[in-house]
Amino acid sequence: MIKLFKVKEKQREMSENANGRAPVKKQSAGELRLHKDIGELNLPKTTTISFPNGKDDLMNFEITIRPDEGYYLGGIFVFTFQVSPVYPHEAPKVKCKTKVYHPNIDLEGNVCLNILREDWKPVLNINTIIYGLNHLFTQPNHEDPLNHEAAAVLRDNPKMFESNVRRAMAGGYVGQTFFPRCM
Amino acid sequence: MADPVSQASSRWRDLDKLLLRPGNLVGPNFDPGTELRDDLQEYAKVLVVGAGGLGCELLKDLALMGFRNLEVIDMDRIEVSNLNRQFLFRLQDVGKPKAEVAAHRVMERVSGVDIVPHFCRIQDKDLEFYNKFNIIALGLDSIEARSYINDVACSFLEYDAEDNPCEETIKPMVDGGTEGFKGHARVIMPGVTPCFECTIWLFPPQVKFPLCTLAETPRTAAHCIEYAHLIKWDEVHGGKPFDADDPEHMQWVYSEAVKRAELFGIPGVTYSLTQGVVKNIIPAIASTNAIISAACALETLKIATSCSKTLSNYLSYNGLEGLHTKVTEFVRDKDCPVCGPGVLLELDTTTTLQKFIELLEEYPKLHMSKASVTYRGENLYMQAPPVLEEMTRSNLTVPLFDLMGKIPKGIVHISGTATKNDKKTSCTRKLRVLFKVIDGDTDMDTATGS
């Protein structure tokens, strides 16, 4: 290809001052895949989505879940999504912004959902994660706890768990921990 | 420093065997002779991305091969733990930028070579910077960085009307990678051989432990380290981001991991394991780097001079048990959104976005319904969710030509539901949009006849 290099170099020298129209960077493959995921979103009726940085930044967004059944009925829970440029090779980073009394979500907002970590596969998509998060509210799971106290209460005394959830969502203390109102 | 003429013949003796004689196994358009050697030195511009284990080797190899116009880019500074294999660096260099020291050392030892260092992130350079190189050689350790350079290199690629890549727009890449005793070297000719994105599945997914295992039932030293790194850090430092390159942060994670390991009676937490787990480091082997870099440097020479056919197209090396190497010819993803030709579409300058989206449904090669449209990172129209649909709806009545900044041609990406043989699949497609210029319609000075 050296001859080509030579020709190109000569061309470059000649057009040094002409306005060289360098191509503009394309979107990353991750952004394109995300564009498809977002354009095909089919949100459950409990869920809304927002894009804090406007319509052209799909890599950072928030979803709000308002469970319509179960322990968490009436609550409003916000999750942030951060999507990597190598999506879907890597799962999005999802955090719960709302402080919640939940066996599978800790007080820092870490979420224990298998498809966010060990079971993530590139065939999964944003919609799958959103359904997974909804599932956490209808079926909290005491077997994979991040908040062990909440998990123990759910396992041993579901009635008390229910009242703890109510108290936390209304804004109040469960044990030593204060939960801001999220209803 | 110029070469003494008398030394020239002996200095390039080995290279001359490849470049001055004809052969049966040479590449296309091989034209042996001293002019080739001179041109290699004068015209071939190579960028080495990364000045670490592979980068040090690559720079040395390329300089000794006779490449004279080299540049190297790396954002890191030298650390003590690099010194065992990144042989261009010495103890007194610790803390200095890798790119600068590496360039300096090679120029000291190899006369005539010019190496320009760039101490910055690969994202800090614009496209014009990357476009001036004839070949890009990669010595990287992350998928993300490779993917970025691949996007950049493929963005120069253009196709003709028959969907054949235009040779002068191909930006060849040579990619090396090592992990312990294993490694790979590959040649990427965008438009001809698979690009990084076509075969991203070659990279195994990172092992990630379930958070609840870390929180509840740790069984290994790595579990304890990840607990300290992912859960305990946030709990204690609330909001302060963890920085893997800050030794204080690492020390904190290490000591927390030790406490946790003691609590559960798990042995094996060490500082270096902590670094390894948190930064996802696999011990690097100097000889693997040397072997992979040598293969990459040779491919770079082959691409530049055609003195031999290039590797086609992926060499894997495994020195773990005995030695095993194999060359695999991977194939391109025809619909690759990064390196694929895309579908050529000719439009009037007056076609509105709405009309364009309707056209996609009938267009023979597409049959795409419910298309969302994006151009250079700008979402022109989104079918869903409702909030984005509303924000982009006003574009529907605007001509696409105007939305694309009135340029005669451009690349647009669409995603939606494509129908093929009565089967519906959701997909992303790349479109090469060409606008029919009507005489006297616009004052375009960028004539299409060039």
Side-chain angles (χ1 to χ4, degrees), chain B residues 22 159 166 168 177 186 200 215 249 254 258 371 376 381 418 440:
Chain B
Y159 286 88
C166 306
E168 67 277 11
R186 68 189 292 187
I200 194 162
H249 290 196
Y254 165 63
V258 168
R376 287 184 178 177
Y381 185 67

Short mmCIF file of all heavy atoms in Angstrom, two decimals, chain B residues 22 159 166 168 177 186 200 215 249 254 258 371 376 381 418 440:
data_model
loop_
_atom_site.label_atom_id
_atom_site.label_comp_id
_atom_site.label_asym_id
_atom_site.label_seq_id
_atom_site.Cartn_x
_atom_site.Cartn_y
_atom_site.Cartn_z
N PRO B 22 12.11 -10.21 -5.78
CA PRO B 22 10.75 -10.68 -6.08
C PRO B 22 10.50 -12.03 -5.41
O PRO B 22 11.44 -12.68 -4.95
CB PRO B 22 10.74 -10.81 -7.60
CG PRO B 22 12.17 -10.98 -7.99
CD PRO B 22 13.02 -10.33 -6.92
N TYR B 159 -17.55 3.63 0.57
CA TYR B 159 -17.86 2.58 -0.41
C TYR B 159 -18.26 3.22 -1.72
O TYR B 159 -18.81 4.33 -1.74
CB TYR B 159 -19.00 1.72 0.11
CG TYR B 159 -18.62 0.77 1.22
CD1 TYR B 159 -18.66 1.16 2.55
CD2 TYR B 159 -18.21 -0.53 0.93
CE1 TYR B 159 -18.30 0.30 3.57
CE2 TYR B 159 -17.85 -1.40 1.94
CZ TYR B 159 -17.91 -0.99 3.26
OH TYR B 159 -17.55 -1.87 4.26
N CYS B 166 -13.64 1.70 -1.04
CA CYS B 166 -12.68 2.50 -1.81
C CYS B 166 -11.32 2.35 -1.14
O CYS B 166 -11.16 2.72 0.03
CB CYS B 166 -13.08 3.97 -1.82
SG CYS B 166 -14.76 4.24 -2.39
N GLU B 168 -8.52 3.80 -1.14
CA GLU B 168 -7.79 4.92 -0.54
C GLU B 168 -8.41 5.36 0.80
O GLU B 168 -7.82 6.16 1.52
CB GLU B 168 -7.68 6.09 -1.52
CG GLU B 168 -8.99 6.80 -1.86
CD GLU B 168 -9.80 6.09 -2.96
OE1 GLU B 168 -9.46 4.94 -3.33
OE2 GLU B 168 -10.77 6.70 -3.45
N GLY B 177 -3.05 -8.34 21.49
CA GLY B 177 -3.59 -8.40 22.85
C GLY B 177 -2.98 -9.58 23.57
O GLY B 177 -2.73 -10.63 22.96
N ARG B 186 -4.01 -9.59 15.12
CA ARG B 186 -4.94 -9.63 14.01
C ARG B 186 -4.76 -8.43 13.10
O ARG B 186 -4.27 -7.38 13.51
CB ARG B 186 -6.39 -9.70 14.52
CG ARG B 186 -6.85 -8.45 15.20
CD ARG B 186 -8.18 -8.62 15.86
NE ARG B 186 -9.28 -8.81 14.92
CZ ARG B 186 -10.56 -8.86 15.27
NH1 ARG B 186 -10.90 -8.76 16.55
NH2 ARG B 186 -11.50 -9.02 14.37
N ILE B 200 -16.93 -8.86 18.11
CA ILE B 200 -16.76 -8.46 19.52
C ILE B 200 -17.06 -9.63 20.45
O ILE B 200 -16.54 -9.72 21.56
CB ILE B 200 -17.63 -7.23 19.86
CG1 ILE B 200 -17.18 -6.65 21.20
CG2 ILE B 200 -19.11 -7.54 19.82
CD1 ILE B 200 -17.63 -5.24 21.46
N ALA B 215 -22.58 -9.86 49.42
CA ALA B 215 -23.12 -9.29 50.65
C ALA B 215 -23.40 -10.37 51.69
O ALA B 215 -23.30 -10.12 52.88
CB ALA B 215 -24.40 -8.52 50.34
N HIS B 249 -7.03 4.62 48.03
CA HIS B 249 -8.30 3.92 47.83
C HIS B 249 -8.08 2.42 47.81
O HIS B 249 -8.81 1.65 48.42
CB HIS B 249 -8.95 4.36 46.50
CG HIS B 249 -9.47 5.77 46.53
ND1 HIS B 249 -10.34 6.24 45.59
CD2 HIS B 249 -9.24 6.78 47.38
CE1 HIS B 249 -10.62 7.52 45.86
NE2 HIS B 249 -9.96 7.86 46.94
N TYR B 254 -8.28 -2.97 50.29
CA TYR B 254 -7.52 -4.14 50.74
C TYR B 254 -7.77 -4.41 52.23
O TYR B 254 -8.07 -5.54 52.61
CB TYR B 254 -6.03 -3.92 50.45
CG TYR B 254 -5.13 -4.88 51.18
CD1 TYR B 254 -5.19 -6.25 50.93
CD2 TYR B 254 -4.23 -4.42 52.14
CE1 TYR B 254 -4.38 -7.14 51.61
CE2 TYR B 254 -3.41 -5.29 52.82
CZ TYR B 254 -3.49 -6.66 52.56
OH TYR B 254 -2.69 -7.54 53.24
N VAL B 258 -9.56 -7.68 53.94
CA VAL B 258 -8.91 -8.54 54.93
C VAL B 258 -9.85 -8.77 56.12
O VAL B 258 -10.04 -9.91 56.56
CB VAL B 258 -7.58 -7.91 55.41
CG1 VAL B 258 -7.05 -8.63 56.65
CG2 VAL B 258 -6.55 -7.94 54.29
N ALA B 371 -39.40 3.06 11.94
CA ALA B 371 -37.98 3.37 12.05
C ALA B 371 -37.74 4.60 12.93
O ALA B 371 -38.45 5.59 12.83
CB ALA B 371 -37.39 3.60 10.67
N ARG B 376 -25.24 11.28 13.28
CA ARG B 376 -24.10 11.84 14.00
C ARG B 376 -24.40 12.13 15.47
O ARG B 376 -24.11 13.21 15.98
CB ARG B 376 -23.66 13.15 13.36
CG ARG B 376 -22.96 12.97 12.04
CD ARG B 376 -22.48 14.32 11.56
NE ARG B 376 -21.76 14.19 10.31
CZ ARG B 376 -21.30 15.22 9.62
NH1 ARG B 376 -21.49 16.43 10.07
NH2 ARG B 376 -20.65 15.02 8.51
N TYR B 381 -35.49 11.31 14.93
CA TYR B 381 -36.85 10.88 15.31
C TYR B 381 -36.78 9.58 16.09
O TYR B 381 -36.05 8.66 15.72
CB TYR B 381 -37.74 10.70 14.07
CG TYR B 381 -39.17 10.39 14.46
CD1 TYR B 381 -39.95 11.33 15.10
CD2 TYR B 381 -39.71 9.11 14.24
CE1 TYR B 381 -41.25 11.04 15.51
CE2 TYR B 381 -41.01 8.81 14.64
CZ TYR B 381 -41.78 9.79 15.28
OH TYR B 381 -43.04 9.50 15.70
N ALA B 418 -37.66 -4.88 10.68
CA ALA B 418 -37.48 -5.22 9.27
C ALA B 418 -38.23 -6.50 8.97
O ALA B 418 -38.28 -7.42 9.78
CB ALA B 418 -36.01 -5.38 8.96
N GLY B 440 -29.12 24.64 -10.00
CA GLY B 440 -29.60 25.95 -9.59
C GLY B 440 -30.46 25.91 -8.35
O GLY B 440 -31.02 26.92 -7.95
#
